[in-house]
Amino acid sequence: MALNDTPGASAEPGPDVLPQRGFRRAVVTGGAGFLGSHLCEELLARGTEVVCLDSFLTGGPGNVAHLAERYPTQFRMVRCDITDFVHVPGEVDLVLHFASPASPIDYLQLPIETLKVGSIGTLHALGLAKEKGARFLLASTSEVYGDPQVHPQPEDYWGHVNPVGPRGVYDEAKRYGEAMTTAYRTTHDVDTAIVRIFNTYGPRMRPHDGRAIPTFVRQALAGEPVTVAGDGLQTRSVCYVDDLVAGILALAGSGHPGPVNIGNPHEMTVRQIAEDVVAATGSRSPVRFVERPVDDPQVRRPDTALARRLLGWQPRVPWEQGLASTVEWFAGLRQAA
Ligand code: NAD
């Protein structure tokens, strides 16, 4: 169960919780990806028009086809590579910069693309926010903490990253993105925010993206052995996507610059996650231990005190419930295939 938090419990709105503003028209880079598509969906549900910019490098139009159908005038999908240029006609009051390969399999296969979208892509997205006078939010990551020597990780921990290790392309791109975002705030007065996202799961993850939960669910549904790296005693803290989206939009609406950790502090061993997935799928798959990837972090748990205090946010979806929804979605994919 949760180690320092109780998913499902409601956050007490404390005296420091910041007032919220709404947005009329948002640009979401990487909007056809896993997180981006859920963000587009929630923004539209709240009455915000959305322009989604995506190259379909690791996401795809299938993730947002239902939005184009449901919101024919409020939603626009534009296929473009934001490392070339970013141009959006008309007013924009929010830019959510989510474009980037995000799973280890993706960024290990796409190292230069990952560095380019984190650097040049971030520069272009910041330029758009500056031109429009819009609020800007950078999707950063818990990976900026690297293999952490402080546990759990608070926002003022500077991290333990190997810049020349295989994961350096992602971790350093995000660290650079944070520095660039901060420079646009201090030099150009752009209203910026940085969210450090911890591992998130839910519908629309790709079965072969190499992240633990989709891999385990795919293997368990197929009745194959579930492959756990190392001895499986390394920990992860996983957040259901609906909770993450609520936290990100609360940070966007708050005017706070961050960085703010958004994630679920409910820490589990990878082995426990695998066993729960097998149980949730009703599979008889055995657990098989495989070699541990280089620089795989040993522990990972967000300190979410700041998000609770400033945003009145904490995760609400219990692991069992989020896992059941995720399994149901992956089972539907298999049936459709
Ligand atoms: P994803 O791969 O599903 O989505 C990323 C999207 O960005 C894809 O649709 C891809 O096509 C698009 N993209 C990549 N390069 C592009 C470019 N040059 N121009 C335009 N579009 C481009 O990944 P995700 O899990 O949804 O992650 C989204 C963001 O959140 C990423 O920035 C990632 O670093 C961050 N993040 C995610 C997690 C997580 O657990 N999912 C954790 C930490 C941070």
Side-chain angles (χ1 to χ4, degrees):
M1 201 49 235
L3 297 181
N4 72 349
D5 207 340
T6 314
S10 60
E12 288 294 319
D16 299 335
V17 172
L18 298 165
Q20 290 282 318
R21 63 171 278 206
F23 299 96
R24 282 194 307 274
R25 189 159 181 257
V27 168
V28 183
T29 77
F34 162 50
L35 297 183
S37 62
H38 284 278
L39 278 165
C40 291
E41 189 159 347
E42 181 60 21
L43 282 164
L44 288 160
R46 294 183 185 191
T48 304
E49 284 184 32
V50 175
V51 180
C52 166
L53 306 180
D54 204 295
S55 62
F56 304 151
L57 184 66
T58 55
N63 284 335
V64 288
H66 65 296
L67 299 179
E69 215 166 274
R70 203 182 300 162
Y71 301 97
T73 56
Q74 298 99 318
F75 179 72
R76 251 188 87 206
M77 169 74 240
V78 180
R79 184 174 189 174
C80 66
D81 183 332
I82 64 155
T83 65
D84 292 337
F85 66 91
V86 172
H87 173 69
V88 176
E91 277 183 27
V92 172
D93 54 3
L94 176 66
V95 176
L96 298 176
H97 178 37
F98 276 68
S100 172
S103 84
I105 279 197
D106 288 338
Y107 60 73
L108 293 176
Q109 276 170 4
L110 301 163
I112 307 289
E113 290 85 345
T114 303
L115 283 158
K116 277 179 76 179
V117 76
S119 53
I120 304 167
T122 301
L123 193 65
H124 289 163
L126 279 161
L128 178 73
K130 177 170 177 262
E131 175 201 335
K132 304 289 185 185
R135 177 140 167 92
F136 175 90
L137 185 142
L138 172 72
S140 187
T141 170
S142 58
E143 302 297 334
V144 300
Y145 300 124
D147 190 2
Q149 294 174 315
V150 169
H151 191 65
Q153 295 80 54
E155 288 84 351
D156 58 6
Y157 174 53
W158 292 356
H160 182 228
V161 170
N162 176 6
V164 294
R167 303 169 75 105
V169 296
Y170 181 68
D171 305 359
E172 295 295 10
K174 291 291 182 182
R175 290 168 69 96
Y176 173 94
E178 289 199 10
M180 181 61 82
T181 299
T182 305
Y184 261 64
R185 180 174 192 88
T186 54
T187 308
H188 292 313
D189 225 12
V190 176
D191 177 16
T192 62
I194 296 169
V195 59
R196 292 193 182 139
I197 300 169
F198 282 66
N199 292 339
T200 302
Y201 71 99
R204 298 194 207 126
M205 295 185 93
R206 285 175 295 132
H208 289 275
D209 82 357
R211 292 186 261 204
I213 292 176
T215 305
F216 295 163
V217 174
R218 171 175 57 76
Q219 292 168 329
L221 287 173
E224 295 166 4
V226 169
T227 50
V228 169
D231 58 10
L233 296 181
Q234 66 275 28
T235 66
R236 296 294 180 267
S237 307
V238 293
C239 186
Y240 188 63
V241 64
D242 290 358
D243 281 333
L244 186 90
V245 164
I248 286 170
L249 294 183
L251 176 59
S254 72
H256 194 274
V260 175
N261 289 336
I262 299 286
N264 192 324
H266 177 190
E267 186 176 11
M268 294 178 285
T269 64
V270 171
R271 186 178 182 158
Q272 182 68 54
I273 293 175
E275 285 168 358
D276 290 351
V277 166
V278 171
T281 53
S283 165
R284 292 166 168 233
S285 292
V287 170
R288 182 194 292 161
F289 296 97
V290 296
E291 204 180 328
R292 186 103 179 261
V294 180
D295 292 342
D296 189 38
Q298 183 59 29
V299 289
R300 184 69 88 224
R301 169 154 58 104
D303 180 331
T304 53
L306 192 63
R308 264 207 308 263
R309 182 161 64 75
L310 296 178
L311 310 175
W313 177 88
Q314 68 177 22
R316 289 164 192 281
V317 180
W319 162 235
E320 298 72 21
Q321 188 184 321
L323 179 58
S325 308
T326 307
V327 166
E328 189 183 323
W329 189 81
F330 274 91
L333 260 194
R334 270 174 68 80
Q335 271 172 3

